[in-house]
Amino acid sequence: MIFQAFFRSAMIIYFLTPGDDAVEIIGGKDVKPHSKPYMASIQLHRRHVCGGILIKPGWVLTAAHCNLKFKDQNIQVVLGTDSLSRDKDNSVQKLMVKQKFPHICFDSESREHDIMLLQLQTEAKLNKFVNVLPQPKNAWDVNDGTICTVVGWGKTNVKSNKLSDNLKEVNVTIINRAKCNSKNYYNNNPVITRNMLCAGDSKGGKDACQGDSGGPLICKNELRGIVSLEKNCGLRDKPGIYTRITNEYIKWIRKITD
């Protein structure tokens, strides 16, 4: 009995310790079925590459660094499903991308201006399975300590290329930029600017990971960020970095999509 109790405790510690052995949308759970009708799986050759957000029937918002993976290949957006393997359900809509609009000032090294719009060849049909997540009208900054939610189909293990089949979500906490830029965190490499948000967990173990790029950061029921940098999945001192939805980006989106 003592051995069994010790074994159970050891296993719990192993699976909850952040780092290489505990990386998915870390600490997350499956979303309630069809509760995120704005979520888009952006795919090449029927394989998920990045997440995205349907913000208008004909437009998907995602991260500009995803364009480095797309290049000039045909891109497909899959809407209306929580499961990547159940892409033949009646709720699913598959739409091709007509044109890409990565931010002209995007810097792949600093991740500054990591935002991109995808124009669909045909508009999505809105219903209870597929719907838009409106962009915020005002770009207030997100205060330190605010609890937000990140959503995606990211990797379940940093040592594996396997993605999560089911859409997952996890709560993360906003960390102020000064702290995130300090030597105990990113040490200004990269620099977390006013165009970015930093979010994670004080103990680690809650984060986005590869495959979640381009997905939303929801704060107080509004879109406030886009998953940008998630290479250090789940580490306490390397929280996730998100493109912040600023007034500049709101104007940029409206200029392109209106």
Side-chain angles (χ1 to χ4, degrees):
M1 293 294 290
I2 295 176
F3 174 79
Q4 290 177 339
F6 173 80
F7 179 77
R8 285 196 298 270
S9 299
M11 290 300 288
I12 290 171
I13 292 171
Y14 175 80
F15 283 112
L16 292 183
T17 301
D20 287 352
D21 293 313
V23 287
E24 52 182 6
I25 228 182
I26 309 245
K29 62 181 180 181
D30 289 354
V31 303
K32 182 180 177 181
H34 299 293
S35 63
K36 305 291 187 289
Y38 50 80
M39 281 300 297
S41 171
I42 305 172
Q43 302 186 358
L44 287 176
H45 310 298
R46 298 184 62 185
R47 293 181 65 88
H48 175 87
V49 177
C50 281
I53 309 125
L54 188 71
I55 58 168
K56 290 187 175 183
W59 294 90
V60 169
L61 185 66
T62 187
H65 77 263
C66 293
N67 194 42
L68 303 176
K69 306 174 185 179
F70 300 151
K71 297 183 179 179
D72 295 324
Q73 301 179 71
N74 291 329
I75 311 165
Q76 180 176 249
V77 170
V78 178
L79 304 166
T81 185
D82 300 324
S83 168
L84 295 177
S85 63
R86 298 181 62 182
D87 62 354
K88 293 180 174 62
D89 289 355
N90 293 332
S91 63
V92 174
Q93 297 181 40
K94 298 180 181 181
L95 304 169
M96 300 305 295
V97 171
K98 178 181 180 180
Q99 197 168 358
K100 301 175 293 181
F101 296 87
H103 197 285
I104 193 171
C105 295
F106 167 61
D107 187 309
S108 61
E109 291 188 8
S110 69
R111 290 296 172 94
E112 187 78 349
H113 306 297
D114 192 8
I115 187 169
M116 177 167 65
L117 284 162
L118 302 178
Q119 184 181 20
L120 304 177
Q121 283 188 358
T122 56
E123 291 189 349
K125 298 177 180 178
L126 304 185
N127 52 45
K128 66 179 181 179
F129 304 113
V130 175
N131 214 327
V132 299
L133 179 64
Q135 61 178 311
K137 295 180 180 179
N138 299 304
W140 47 266
D141 203 356
V142 188
N143 293 331
D144 179 43
T146 302
I147 297 175
C148 303
T149 302
V150 59
V151 187
W153 286 278
K155 287 170 60 173
T156 58
N157 190 307
V158 76
K159 296 178 180 178
S160 169
N161 290 324
K162 184 179 180 181
L163 302 178
S164 173
D165 181 66
N166 294 319
L167 185 62
K168 293 183 179 293
E169 62 182 346
V170 69
N171 289 338
V172 291
T173 303
I174 297 295
I175 301 169
N176 70 68
R177 294 180 183 89
K179 184 175 182 179
C180 210
N181 280 321
S182 72
K183 64 180 181 179
N184 293 326
Y185 283 76
Y186 279 104
N187 197 26
N188 290 313
N189 184 28
V191 176
I192 313 304
T193 71
R194 297 285 298 177
N195 292 325
M196 303 175 187
L197 292 169
C198 188
D201 185 80
S202 60
K203 298 179 181 179
K206 292 184 179 181
D207 201 0
C209 200
Q210 284 81 28
D212 293 319
S213 293
L217 181 72
I218 310 294
C219 306
K220 297 183 178 180
N221 297 316
E222 290 189 317
L223 175 63
R224 291 296 166 188
I226 301 169
V227 179
S228 176
L229 185 65
E230 13 60 343
K231 65 179 180 180
N232 299 293
C233 314
L235 299 181
R236 183 198 64 80
D237 57 352
K238 294 293 185 290
I241 298 174
Y242 301 81
T243 300
R244 175 183 158 228
I245 304 299
T246 63
N247 280 319
E248 176 196 341
Y249 295 145
I250 290 173
K251 292 176 183 177
W252 175 79
I253 291 169
R254 288 174 179 167
K255 182 179 180 180
I256 294 174
T257 63
D258 286 350

